[in-house]
Amino acid sequence: VLLEHTKFSKSIYKFDWKFPSCIILGNEVSGVSEELTSLCDYHVEIPMQGVKQSLNVSVAAGIIGYEILRYYNMYRQIEEK
């Protein structure tokens, strides 16, 4: 799963996460190569408001990590019932 704003990307909050998953995060300046982008099955993005459309990669990793854990725990609890 590529974390990058592309024409195919969906919000991380509307994505139906599958496990296990591998998350690809790019360089803050140059992003992810076209070759690696084309190899990714899914593209997701962190929705943002305002002019700036990028985050520090460590901040982005924290946001997506938290969202994946929240999603995983929410659906694990549903399956246990």
Side-chain angles (χ1 to χ4, degrees), residues 1-12 24-28 30-34 37 40 42-55 60 64:
V1 179
L2 172 67
L3 179 60
E4 183 84 16
H5 176 76
T6 70
K7 63 182 177 180
F8 304 110
S9 57
K10 297 173 78 172
S11 166
I12 63 170
I24 307 295
L25 296 109
N27 178 284
E28 295 169 26
S30 57
V32 177
S33 72
E34 289 294 324
T37 297
C40 294
Y42 306 103
H43 300 182
V44 297
E45 63 183 61
I46 298 169
M48 300 181 68
Q49 295 182 341
V51 178
K52 187 148 174 77
Q53 293 296 310
S54 66
L55 293 170
I64 195 168

Side-chain angles (χ1 to χ4, degrees), residues 69-80:
L69 180 62
R70 185 197 66 79
Y71 185 95
Y72 178 81
N73 286 334
M74 181 175 60
Y75 283 95
R76 187 177 63 172
Q77 289 174 357
I78 291 170
E79 290 176 357
E80 290 175 355

